[in-house]
Amino acid sequence: KNEVEQSPQNLTAQEGEFITINCSYSVGISALHWLQQHPGGGIVSLFMLSSGKKKHGRLIATINIQEKHSSLHITASHPRDSAVYICAVCKKTSYDKVIFGPGTSLSVIP
Amino acid sequence: ETGVTQSPTHLIKTRGQQVTLRCSSQSGHNTVSWYQQALGQGPQFIFQYYREEENGRGNFPPRFSGLQFPNYSSELNVNALELDDSALYLCASSSGLQETQYFGPGTRLLVL
């Protein structure tokens, strides 16, 4: 069983839809990242969370430490949001090792 | 724009050769992590350097080694390249352990 899992694996949405991507993990963490990777490889860090909720523009990220679960929400989705969204956790070890989830491939259709 | 740059952007090598990939971090970022992302897969942690010392290592053999320099640049060296080393190599820097990581654009390595 992977230490970090995401759902759904693939997602197709119509422009304007509200989108939710989920991440669950099975290890103790010090922080969780939501990352966006566009075709070609570049990765952008969207959020780093250790508790609660963060909002940036149309993006909202929440985390529930007790339930070991985080969600990324996109409001009023747009075709430029099409990308792979990756959840990554920083393990509570002395080495702060980062473990990546498998990613959710999002395609927003005009 | 994250302020993290990597060079080269693309590289082709043959099996058995050695390669050095470079990463230039933002000023003040004393932590750099390297990741390998094979095609169609998520990134895998290779190792992390903190204040020029190795601070953690993933499940990669010793032929993967690194260096971090005082000028906020770092290197990933891979010896005795194998075909399976073909991947996108990403570096990410931060201003400290448990701080937001800023990713570079990656170096795409192809081993023939």
Side-chain angles (χ1 to χ4, degrees):
Chain A
K1 190 176 190 292
N2 295 330
E3 291 174 299
V4 181
E5 294 186 328
Q6 288 183 234
S7 63
Q9 185 177 358
N10 295 286
L11 183 57
T12 300
Q14 291 289 329
E15 183 174 357
E17 282 187 11
F18 179 80
I19 290 163
T20 296
I21 300 171
N22 295 300
C23 174
S24 59
Y25 52 92
S26 57
V27 295
I29 70 168
S30 55
L32 180 146
H33 296 264
W34 278 103
L35 309 167
Q36 181 191 55
Q37 185 170 32
H38 281 284
I43 288 183
V44 174
S45 178
L46 299 174
F47 296 103
M48 187 182 75
L49 296 162
S50 54
S51 65
K53 173 172 137 178
K54 285 189 177 179
K55 183 175 190 292
H56 184 258
R58 295 182 293 107
L59 303 177
I60 303 167
T62 63
I63 187 168
N64 186 318
I65 296 293
Q66 287 73 30
E67 294 184 4
K68 291 188 163 70
H69 181 270
S70 176
S71 294
L72 175 69
H73 305 285
I74 305 175
T75 61
S77 59
H78 190 276
R80 63 174 176 267
D81 297 327
S82 298
V84 175
Y85 292 83
I86 303 171
C87 165
V89 302
C90 299
K91 286 181 76 170
K92 263 189 188 171
T93 67
S94 59
Y95 293 144
D96 281 286
K97 181 179 170 182
V98 180
I99 299 180
F100 290 78
T104 294
S105 179
L106 171 65
S107 178
V108 181
I109 300 169
Chain B
E1 194 64 41
T2 65
V4 179
T5 59
Q6 291 186 242
S7 63
T9 55
H10 295 81
L11 195 55
I12 300 175
K13 290 284 190 178
T14 56
R15 199 168 46 181
Q17 285 189 308
Q18 180 266 343
V19 69
T20 297
L21 309 182
R22 295 182 172 84
C23 174
S24 178
S25 305
Q26 289 188 28
S27 178
H29 280 197
N30 57 18
T31 307
V32 65
S33 302
W34 285 91
Y35 303 91
Q36 180 196 65
Q37 185 176 24
L39 194 63
Q41 298 183 24
Q44 299 291 316
F45 174 75
I46 302 175
F47 44 56
Q48 181 186 75
Y49 278 78
Y50 175 63
R51 292 183 175 175
E52 300 164 47
E53 299 282 335
E54 187 176 292
N55 187 53
R57 189 177 184 92
N59 189 25
F60 280 81
R63 59 189 184 83
F64 285 77
S65 63
L67 285 171
Q68 185 186 26
F69 303 102
N71 66 351
Y72 308 113
S73 66
S74 60
E75 291 180 355
L76 164 66
N77 298 289
V78 187
N79 294 322
L81 283 166
E82 300 177 0
L83 298 180
D84 285 349
D85 295 333
S86 297
L88 178 70
Y89 289 86
L90 296 158
C91 76
S93 72
S94 61
S95 59
L97 300 175
Q98 301 187 30
E99 297 295 329
T100 296
Q101 294 195 23
Y102 295 87
F103 284 82
T107 292
R108 197 167 293 280
L109 172 65
L110 177 62
V111 182
L112 301 176

